[in-house]
Every structure is written in C-alpha cells, then in structure tokens.
Amino acid sequence: MQIHPHSEFNHSRDRREQGLQKLLDRLVKRIQRDELVRQTTNQLRESLQVDRVVLYYFYGQWQGQVTFESLSSQELSILGSTGPDNCFNDEYAALYLAGRVKAIADIELEPMESCHRDFLRTMQVRANLVVPILIPRGLWGLLVAHQCQAPHNWSLLDMEMMQTAAQTLATDDNILES
C-alpha cells in the first residue's frame, strides 16, 4: 500500500474541481445560448405571424440540421431535419456568406432547383424567408420563417426583423464560442 503525501491528494482534488467547474461553465453557456435561440424563434414567429420559425445550424461544411423551432402547431415539427442531399452547395453557401436574404412568397411560382422545391414541399412549406447567421469564422446557421398554409408576401419590415434577430444571435458570446 502506497501512501500519497497530502499535497498530491489536494492537487488531484483541485484538478477534479477545475474540471467540474469547466463542465459547469460550458453547460451554463449552452443553456444561455439555447434560451436566447428559443426566445428569438418564438418572438419572430409571433411577430411575423407565421406557422414556423427554425434555426438551421451548420455542424460541418454545408451540413446541418434544424436544431430549434417555434411552431403554431405541433404537426408542423421538422426538428432534426437535415437539408436535401447535394442541394445546398458551394454556390448557395457563397450567397449566404455574402449576406443573402431570400424571401419566397410562393414556392410553386418561384424559379428554383427542383430538389429545393421538392424538399420544401416535404416540409409543408409554401413560403419562406431565409436569413444567414454570420459570425467571424463564417456561416453559423440560417434563421428561417415558414408559412405552410398559403403563400405569404414578405414585407421589408419582416426581412429587417429577421436580419436584426440573426445579428443578435451572431454577436452573442455564447454563440461565438460554440
């Protein structure tokens, strides 16, 4: 049996406490980030009076998924959905990296790639408004408003509201560090 000096024991305990503190700090930041996104998507859905507002988060090179949603009805949930395979490519990414805001009043009348239209149909989207969330290291995600029941003409105020929300998310320390 080996007896460790008291200072080694204290050093080991200090490292465990530091590790636990780092873990707690990360959890608190994640909870704060998630609450900001939840509040933002809820406020946007209510203000825009639309069926759904989602956050599409990029976890890899143009690979992402819906990680948050605010819904007018639970049947409209697309939480966890990923984008259509090979439909979101470098060309679209470059547009959003440049700050593109895309408002589509009616997907049935809008000229677009068939894979994109088919994908939107599977999610019951009839109209959408997409705004990029840009952080210093690139495209973090997309903030997207969907009208599912009918076409929707997006106003300049709608677009500005979405851009302001995206900017708020893009400048939050908890998002910048994630």
Side-chain angles (χ1 to χ4, degrees):
M1 183 164 133
Q2 192 175 24
I3 299 175
H4 296 285
H6 188 66
S7 64
E8 266 186 52
F9 176 75
N10 284 340
H11 182 67
S12 177
R13 186 182 54 165
D14 289 346
R15 281 193 313 213
R16 275 195 309 274
E17 287 176 4
Q18 288 173 353
L20 284 173
Q21 189 59 52
K22 283 182 182 179
L23 176 63
L24 284 173
D25 290 346
R26 282 197 313 262
L27 286 172
V28 166
K29 287 177 187 248
R30 183 168 287 159
I31 289 168
Q32 289 172 339
R33 179 200 65 203
D34 290 358
E35 186 55 28
L36 174 63
V37 173
R38 193 173 341 281
Q39 287 176 5
T40 300
T41 55
N42 285 337
Q43 289 171 356
L44 283 170
R45 187 182 55 77
E46 290 170 12
S47 297
L48 296 170
Q49 297 182 345
V50 294
D51 295 317
R52 177 172 53 215
V53 173
V54 302
L55 170 70
Y56 186 84
Y57 169 71
F58 288 102
Y59 54 78
Q61 182 69 24
W62 318 138
Q63 301 289 313
Q65 74 180 75
V66 174
T67 55
F68 286 89
E69 63 184 0
S70 177
L71 307 168
S72 63
S73 173
Q74 283 302 315
E75 305 90 61
L76 299 174
S77 179
I78 59 169
L79 191 64
S81 295
T82 58
D85 293 335
N86 302 320
C87 201
F88 190 88
N89 56 30
D90 290 338
E91 181 183 336
Y92 282 117
L95 292 169
Y96 286 115
L97 278 166
R100 172 195 200 187
V101 172
K102 182 66 174 174
I104 299 174
D106 187 346
I107 69 158
E108 299 303 331
L109 302 177
E110 184 76 13
M112 67 175 69
E113 296 287 331
S114 61
C115 68
H116 189 204
R117 186 182 333 275
D118 292 342
F119 176 68
L120 293 173
R121 284 176 182 151
T122 65
M123 295 189 309
Q124 302 174 353
V125 174
R126 186 64 189 265
N128 76 347
L129 174 58
V130 183
V131 175
I133 301 169
L134 296 165
I135 62 173
R137 65 178 184 264
L139 184 59
W140 186 79
L142 300 171
L143 202 50
V144 186
H146 289 154
Q147 186 61 33
C148 302
Q149 308 304 320
H152 184 89
N153 290 315
W154 304 101
S155 71
L156 186 56
L157 182 60
D158 295 340
M159 291 180 230
E160 289 171 354
M161 197 180 318
M162 288 278 285
Q163 287 176 298
T164 299
Q167 184 62 30
T168 298
L169 294 174
T171 57
D172 182 77
D173 287 339
N174 296 314
I175 286 175
L176 291 170
E177 294 170 8
S178 65

